Amino acid sequence: PAPTYGEAAIGPDLDGAKDDVRDFSHVKVVTPSDEEDTVVAAVQNSASLQEALDQGKDLVLSPGIYPLKTSLKVKYPNQVVLGLGLATLVAPTDGSPCIRVLPYTPGVRIAGIMLEASKQDVQQNYSDERDCPDGIASLLEWGNPNINDDRGSSTNPGVLTDIFARVGGSNPDRTVSTDVIMRIHSSNVVGDNLWLWRADHVNLQPGETANYPLNPSDEASKLPRVSDHYYQVMKDECKVATGLIVNGDDVTIHGLAVEHTEEHLTIWNGERGNVRFYQSELPYDVSHASFGAKGYTGYMVASHVKDHDAQAVGVYSNFRDYIVTVDTAIRHPIEETKGKEINVEEALLSGGKSDMVKDAFVVHLDNFGRIMSVVNGKGGEASEQGKPVRVAVGVDSLN
């Protein structure tokens, strides 16, 4: 059964009275191609999965790895794509997303899936099959970046549940990349437990030894000692700029983690965004010139946004390779400038009530650099290892 959406409800509804029960004749259970040639397997996987979606069927992915040649397009309202055993979709090599939910398609549910970046083939950027309307590569797209009137449905929202994404990690190739991990363009989408990760470590290649070993042969080495079992990702490897961009209005996400991307980790452009629990670890490998000096943050609400509610927001630093200073972990429009174009430096200096972000904190986990403030230049500096610096519910403390 696919659960229905209700209002003013807390916790699970287990009586099943409102469940949307689907006949299994409308469900396609799929397995990944057993073809050893990944190029051939990608063609076969995309064809078989898209055929079921085009027939209007719900899709159940058996455990396994599914390289894709083209994006899976979800085009019918209320369709379900459910992964079992963390079924993994590997993105097409032309930068197209693993999944695109087409605009004006309410009630779609996607759950239990791992999304994985691939090594992009620049020669394919001009392919007719490439699904990047604005040229930006990603792993999941909900809606279309060139359509801004896709309101969705407040009584039948789209839902993302238990979605995990990685740029690097299991794949020892450090040239895998994407531009953004996930973008939500449609309005009225709900997320529950999303983890969007740029790898800080990946599997070792055959015969390779760790670059940050626990016991380096050179005892005078100043490199942090991390692990003998993994390669620690370095600057300009496993590249991805941003984890999440939300352009739609009335998007709610409960349980969101975005880690290690090289620019703003999360950018929220839509109105009435709602986040409960956000965890963000800044990238280990960036330099001050590439990150701190450019004003990148762990969580940014765009200057034009008038209404946003994020609670329990945590941003951590562990700048492993360079001394990086981050002016502020979280940035959002302040009361006096909501809805207006603002100068970032002026906003940081002017303060104002923090009514968009509550219960925020930052932590200096280890190594170099620091975060100088929690929200909009206020809230204290995180310089003592492991000690949180908080901004309490009493938001007047920011004034």
Tab-separated table of all heavy atoms in Angstrom, residues 221-250:
chain	number	residue	atom	x	y	z
A	221	SER	N	55.694	13.149	9.716
A	221	SER	CA	54.633	13.651	8.848
A	221	SER	C	53.610	14.452	9.636
A	221	SER	O	53.205	14.074	10.721
A	221	SER	CB	53.941	12.474	8.136
A	221	SER	OG	52.810	12.928	7.434
A	222	LYS	N	53.184	15.553	9.053
A	222	LYS	CA	52.178	16.383	9.699
A	222	LYS	C	50.775	16.070	9.199
A	222	LYS	O	49.806	16.698	9.610
A	222	LYS	CB	52.493	17.865	9.458
A	222	LYS	CG	53.807	18.316	10.088
A	222	LYS	CD	54.056	19.789	9.829
A	222	LYS	CE	55.370	20.231	10.455
A	222	LYS	NZ	55.640	21.676	10.202
A	223	LEU	N	50.669	15.100	8.296
A	223	LEU	CA	49.352	14.762	7.774
A	223	LEU	C	48.511	14.081	8.843
A	223	LEU	O	49.026	13.287	9.639
A	223	LEU	CB	49.484	13.837	6.564
A	223	LEU	CG	50.179	14.418	5.332
A	223	LEU	CD1	50.277	13.356	4.244
A	223	LEU	CD2	49.440	15.627	4.811
A	224	PRO	N	47.220	14.366	8.890
A	224	PRO	CA	46.362	13.677	9.856
A	224	PRO	C	46.376	12.173	9.595
A	224	PRO	O	46.432	11.732	8.450
A	224	PRO	CB	44.978	14.270	9.573
A	224	PRO	CG	45.231	15.536	8.846
A	224	PRO	CD	46.481	15.317	8.067
A	225	ARG	N	46.317	11.405	10.642
A	225	ARG	CA	46.292	9.955	10.515
A	225	ARG	C	44.842	9.503	10.581
A	225	ARG	O	44.187	9.642	11.612
A	225	ARG	CB	47.118	9.325	11.636
A	225	ARG	CG	48.575	9.784	11.611
A	225	ARG	CD	49.377	9.172	12.737
A	225	ARG	NE	50.745	9.684	12.719
A	225	ARG	CZ	51.706	9.238	13.531
A	225	ARG	NH1	51.452	8.282	14.396
A	225	ARG	NH2	52.917	9.747	13.456
A	226	VAL	N	44.352	8.943	9.480
A	226	VAL	CA	42.924	8.673	9.370
A	226	VAL	C	42.633	7.180	9.322
A	226	VAL	O	42.000	6.623	10.211
A	226	VAL	CB	42.328	9.377	8.133
A	226	VAL	CG1	40.827	9.142	8.074
A	226	VAL	CG2	42.622	10.876	8.173
A	227	SER	N	43.078	6.500	8.278
A	227	SER	CA	42.740	5.093	8.113
A	227	SER	C	43.684	4.437	7.127
A	227	SER	O	44.152	5.070	6.175
A	227	SER	CB	41.291	4.945	7.607
A	227	SER	OG	41.005	3.606	7.276
A	228	ASP	N	43.951	3.155	7.340
A	228	ASP	CA	44.730	2.369	6.397
A	228	ASP	C	43.867	1.800	5.277
A	228	ASP	O	44.397	1.217	4.330
A	228	ASP	CB	45.408	1.196	7.116
A	228	ASP	CG	46.503	1.654	8.056
A	228	ASP	OD1	47.160	2.669	7.751
A	228	ASP	OD2	46.695	1.006	9.102
A	229	HIS	N	42.562	1.944	5.383
A	229	HIS	CA	41.649	1.175	4.542
A	229	HIS	C	41.006	1.973	3.414
A	229	HIS	O	40.325	1.400	2.567
A	229	HIS	CB	40.554	0.550	5.407
A	229	HIS	CG	41.088	-0.295	6.525
A	229	HIS	ND1	41.734	-1.484	6.308
A	229	HIS	CD2	41.099	-0.093	7.866
A	229	HIS	CE1	42.116	-2.006	7.466
A	229	HIS	NE2	41.741	-1.178	8.429
A	230	TYR	N	41.194	3.285	3.404
A	230	TYR	CA	40.536	4.118	2.412
A	230	TYR	C	41.510	5.155	1.861
A	230	TYR	O	42.473	5.547	2.518
A	230	TYR	CB	39.333	4.851	3.012
A	230	TYR	CG	38.276	3.935	3.560
A	230	TYR	CD1	38.164	3.711	4.931
A	230	TYR	CD2	37.396	3.277	2.709
A	230	TYR	CE1	37.191	2.874	5.443
A	230	TYR	CE2	36.423	2.438	3.208
A	230	TYR	CZ	36.321	2.237	4.574
A	230	TYR	OH	35.370	1.397	5.077
A	231	TYR	N	41.178	5.633	0.673
A	231	TYR	CA	41.851	6.795	0.100
A	231	TYR	C	41.052	8.027	0.499
A	231	TYR	O	39.821	8.088	0.278
A	231	TYR	CB	41.915	6.673	-1.429
A	231	TYR	CG	42.468	7.902	-2.118
A	231	TYR	CD1	43.830	8.046	-2.343
A	231	TYR	CD2	41.612	8.925	-2.531
A	231	TYR	CE1	44.338	9.180	-2.966
A	231	TYR	CE2	42.106	10.059	-3.154
A	231	TYR	CZ	43.472	10.184	-3.366
A	231	TYR	OH	43.959	11.307	-3.979
A	232	GLN	N	41.710	9.015	1.096
A	232	GLN	CA	41.038	10.241	1.501
A	232	GLN	C	40.983	11.208	0.315
A	232	GLN	O	42.008	11.545	-0.269
A	232	GLN	CB	41.778	10.878	2.671
A	232	GLN	CG	41.985	9.946	3.850
A	232	GLN	CD	40.685	9.467	4.459
A	232	GLN	OE1	39.778	10.276	4.682
A	232	GLN	NE2	40.583	8.176	4.735
A	233	VAL	N	39.782	11.634	-0.032
A	233	VAL	CA	39.578	12.472	-1.215
A	233	VAL	C	40.306	13.807	-1.054
A	233	VAL	O	40.238	14.456	-0.001
A	233	VAL	CB	38.074	12.691	-1.460
A	233	VAL	CG1	37.837	13.728	-2.557
A	233	VAL	CG2	37.409	11.367	-1.838
A	234	MET	N	40.954	14.223	-2.114
A	234	MET	CA	41.731	15.457	-2.124
A	234	MET	C	41.007	16.532	-2.936
A	234	MET	O	40.020	16.254	-3.623
A	234	MET	CB	43.115	15.190	-2.716
A	234	MET	CG	43.897	14.077	-2.022
A	234	MET	SD	44.379	14.480	-0.333
A	234	MET	CE	45.682	15.677	-0.653
A	235	LYS	N	41.536	17.736	-2.871
A	235	LYS	CA	40.948	18.874	-3.574
A	235	LYS	C	40.793	18.571	-5.067
A	235	LYS	O	41.695	18.021	-5.700
A	235	LYS	CB	41.819	20.109	-3.375
A	235	LYS	CG	41.196	21.419	-3.843
A	235	LYS	CD	42.077	22.586	-3.421
A	235	LYS	CE	41.448	23.916	-3.801
A	235	LYS	NZ	41.382	24.093	-5.260
A	236	ASP	N	39.631	18.913	-5.614
A	236	ASP	CA	39.278	18.761	-7.026
A	236	ASP	C	39.039	17.311	-7.437
A	236	ASP	O	39.005	16.999	-8.633
A	236	ASP	CB	40.337	19.390	-7.940
A	236	ASP	CG	40.430	20.894	-7.761
A	236	ASP	OD1	39.379	21.513	-7.503
A	236	ASP	OD2	41.534	21.444	-7.861
A	237	GLU	N	38.827	16.431	-6.480
A	237	GLU	CA	38.411	15.060	-6.779
A	237	GLU	C	36.954	14.881	-6.356
A	237	GLU	O	36.445	15.587	-5.481
A	237	GLU	CB	39.293	14.047	-6.034
A	237	GLU	CG	40.744	14.075	-6.485
A	237	GLU	CD	41.628	13.133	-5.702
A	237	GLU	OE1	41.320	12.860	-4.522
A	237	GLU	OE2	42.634	12.665	-6.268
A	238	CYS	N	36.264	13.935	-7.019
A	238	CYS	CA	34.843	13.681	-6.721
A	238	CYS	C	34.081	15.012	-6.659
A	238	CYS	O	33.380	15.315	-5.685
A	238	CYS	CB	34.685	12.905	-5.420
A	238	CYS	SG	35.486	11.295	-5.409
A	239	LYS	N	34.163	15.779	-7.713
A	239	LYS	CA	33.694	17.154	-7.687
A	239	LYS	C	32.164	17.261	-7.710
A	239	LYS	O	31.503	16.596	-8.497
A	239	LYS	CB	34.280	17.946	-8.858
A	239	LYS	CG	35.788	18.178	-8.737
A	239	LYS	CD	36.313	19.113	-9.811
A	239	LYS	CE	35.779	20.522	-9.647
A	239	LYS	NZ	36.179	21.133	-8.360
A	240	VAL	N	31.658	18.116	-6.844
A	240	VAL	CA	30.241	18.504	-6.861
A	240	VAL	C	30.125	19.830	-6.120
A	240	VAL	O	30.691	20.005	-5.041
A	240	VAL	CB	29.333	17.417	-6.241
A	240	VAL	CG1	29.796	17.032	-4.846
A	240	VAL	CG2	27.881	17.881	-6.196
A	241	ALA	N	29.420	20.763	-6.707
A	241	ALA	CA	29.340	22.107	-6.124
A	241	ALA	C	28.386	22.160	-4.941
A	241	ALA	O	28.742	22.647	-3.860
A	241	ALA	CB	28.904	23.108	-7.196
A	242	THR	N	27.164	21.672	-5.129
A	242	THR	CA	26.101	21.857	-4.137
A	242	THR	C	25.323	20.567	-3.955
A	242	THR	O	25.082	19.837	-4.920
A	242	THR	CB	25.163	22.997	-4.576
A	242	THR	OG1	25.914	24.217	-4.656
A	242	THR	CG2	24.017	23.187	-3.603
A	243	GLY	N	24.911	20.292	-2.722
A	243	GLY	CA	24.160	19.073	-2.453
A	243	GLY	C	22.691	19.189	-2.822
A	243	GLY	O	22.147	18.326	-3.513
A	244	LEU	N	22.020	20.253	-2.363
A	244	LEU	CA	20.578	20.398	-2.566
A	244	LEU	C	20.253	21.823	-2.971
A	244	LEU	O	20.705	22.778	-2.328
A	244	LEU	CB	19.824	20.052	-1.280
A	244	LEU	CG	18.311	20.271	-1.300
A	244	LEU	CD1	17.631	19.305	-2.269
A	244	LEU	CD2	17.715	20.143	0.098
A	245	ILE	N	19.452	21.962	-4.012
A	245	ILE	CA	18.864	23.251	-4.396
A	245	ILE	C	17.360	23.083	-4.448
A	245	ILE	O	16.850	22.201	-5.163
A	245	ILE	CB	19.395	23.742	-5.747
A	245	ILE	CG1	20.904	23.981	-5.683
A	245	ILE	CG2	18.673	25.023	-6.180
A	245	ILE	CD1	21.521	24.426	-6.999
A	246	VAL	N	16.652	23.899	-3.685
A	246	VAL	CA	15.187	23.860	-3.651
A	246	VAL	C	14.663	25.134	-4.294
A	246	VAL	O	14.865	26.234	-3.764
A	246	VAL	CB	14.656	23.715	-2.212
A	246	VAL	CG1	13.125	23.752	-2.207
A	246	VAL	CG2	15.158	22.431	-1.575
A	247	ASN	N	14.004	24.993	-5.425
A	247	ASN	CA	13.393	26.134	-6.113
A	247	ASN	C	11.884	26.191	-5.911
A	247	ASN	O	11.275	27.250	-6.096
A	247	ASN	CB	13.704	26.067	-7.608
A	247	ASN	CG	15.188	26.232	-7.899
A	247	ASN	OD1	15.866	27.031	-7.268
A	247	ASN	ND2	15.704	25.455	-8.841
A	248	GLY	N	11.269	25.067	-5.574
A	248	GLY	CA	9.825	25.019	-5.391
A	248	GLY	C	9.397	25.614	-4.063
A	248	GLY	O	10.182	25.704	-3.110
A	249	ASP	N	8.140	26.013	-3.987
A	249	ASP	CA	7.550	26.507	-2.740
A	249	ASP	C	6.943	25.352	-1.952
A	249	ASP	O	6.649	24.285	-2.497
A	249	ASP	CB	6.457	27.533	-3.043
A	249	ASP	CG	6.982	28.772	-3.747
A	249	ASP	OD1	8.178	29.078	-3.589
A	249	ASP	OD2	6.184	29.433	-4.460
A	250	ASP	N	6.764	25.575	-0.650
A	250	ASP	CA	6.080	24.610	0.218
A	250	ASP	C	6.740	23.234	0.173
A	250	ASP	O	6.074	22.199	0.085
A	250	ASP	CB	4.594	24.510	-0.159
A	250	ASP	CG	3.890	25.852	-0.062
A	250	ASP	OD1	3.794	26.382	1.057
A	250	ASP	OD2	3.477	26.390	-1.109
